[in-house]
Amino acid sequence: KAGVTQTPRYLIKTRGQQVTLSCSPISGHRSVSWYQQTPGQGLQFLFEYFSETQRNKGNFPGRFSGRQFSNSRSEMNVSTLELGDSALYLCASSLIGVADTGELFFGEGSRLTVL
Amino acid sequence: AQSVTQPDIHITVSEGASLELRCNYSYGATPYLFWYVQSPGQGLQLLLKYFSGDTLVQGIKGFEAEFKRSQSSFNLRKPSVHWSDAAEYFCAVGAGIQGAQKLVFGQGTRLTINP
């Protein structure tokens, strides 16, 4: 069974640009969550989608957005990039949600560098 | 608000020695508690979880953790570490409405193994 796949793995952008990251969950998983990981702030929850609906959202500005498609694949977008957006963005999937199954399956992440 | 504290940023132990990583949480209700491990350049992998029941939970790779409600702790232990255990370890609490939960992570403990 294939794991969670994130693309691209690495990317470099400049301030003011926008970026789209993609996540393909494990087959059959309907919940997709996104986390930002930085040395200073650690792992922070961005948002969670289930059946194309955003169920939960973290404390990030509106420049961070996401969506989920009917096949459960998810994308997140960051507009007007700032230096502080440099981070490892992790996608995680689960069957229904972390409370129901107790486990999130994480991808290897997309490492974004903003210059 | 829910929070997780991992008091030790970095721990070094010798191969074969025992290990205990500390985790304290703040959460109003019965928590869902997790330990994840992250190897360099990788995503997170679940080691073990506590939802309810027996307060001593067994996980993968020989790890165990004990939930102590009176101390709001969920410490991770291993009787004898291996060089391959060198990684970063994250404690997390499931927070939010059931079915739409997110994970709140601690800052992580980096484990170094001396040969």
Side-chain angles (χ1 to χ4, degrees):
Chain A
K1 198 175 197 180
V4 177
T5 303
Q6 292 188 245
T7 57
R9 289 291 313 280
Y10 303 91
L11 65 165
I12 300 173
K13 294 286 187 177
T14 57
R15 280 179 297 174
Q17 288 186 311
Q18 75 166 14
V19 66
T20 298
L21 308 178
S22 179
C23 173
S24 293
I26 292 172
S27 177
H29 285 193
R30 296 168 64 188
S31 170
V32 174
S33 302
W34 289 90
Y35 289 81
Q36 181 197 63
Q37 185 176 24
T38 60
Q41 299 299 315
L43 281 153
Q44 293 187 288
F45 173 76
L46 281 157
F47 26 66
E48 187 246 358
Y49 288 88
F50 179 79
S51 292
E52 302 179 66
T53 300
Q54 185 182 89
R55 291 198 298 190
N56 210 347
K57 189 177 190 302
N59 295 323
F60 279 82
R63 299 185 297 106
F64 291 81
S65 63
R67 60 178 175 169
Q68 186 181 32
F69 302 95
S70 58
N71 61 358
S72 292
R73 190 177 70 85
S74 177
E75 289 181 347
M76 67 162 285
N77 183 275
V78 188
S79 62
T80 319
L81 284 166
E82 300 177 0
L83 295 179
D85 297 332
S86 295
L88 181 66
Y89 290 89
L90 291 164
C91 170
S93 75
S94 66
L95 280 169
I96 303 172
V98 68
D100 302 283
T101 64
E103 181 167 6
L104 294 182
F105 293 84
F106 283 84
E108 293 183 321
S110 293
R111 183 165 295 282
L112 170 65
T113 301
V114 182
L115 302 177
Chain B
Q2 303 85 6
S3 66
V4 176
T5 301
Q6 294 180 246
D8 305 305
I9 295 174
H10 185 203
I11 284 182
T12 299
V13 300
S14 298
E15 190 168 15
S18 63
L19 172 71
E20 181 168 29
L21 302 182
R22 296 182 291 165
C23 171
N24 293 97
Y25 67 90
S26 171
Y27 189 63
T30 299
Y32 298 154
L33 294 163
F34 308 84
W35 274 100
Y36 281 83
V37 61
Q38 185 179 35
S39 298
Q42 302 294 312
L44 279 73
Q45 180 184 24
L46 179 70
L47 285 175
L48 46 78
K49 63 189 179 188
Y50 172 78
F51 271 22
S52 63
D54 193 348
T55 57
L56 184 64
V57 294
Q58 302 297 320
I60 61 171
K61 304 184 181 185
F63 286 93
E64 66 177 26
E66 185 171 14
F67 170 60
K68 293 185 177 179
R69 185 187 299 276
S70 62
Q71 299 177 19
S72 297
S73 69
F74 189 57
N75 294 348
L76 181 71
R77 300 193 295 248
K78 186 170 185 178
S80 176
V81 297
H82 186 262
W83 64 267
S84 60
D85 293 324
E88 188 141 23
Y89 292 79
F90 294 92
C91 181
V93 62
I97 303 169
Q98 176 141 3
Q101 287 212 352
K102 63 180 181 182
L103 291 182
V104 175
F105 286 90
Q107 286 293 97
T109 298
R110 185 161 60 93
L111 175 64
T112 299
I113 308 295
N114 280 337

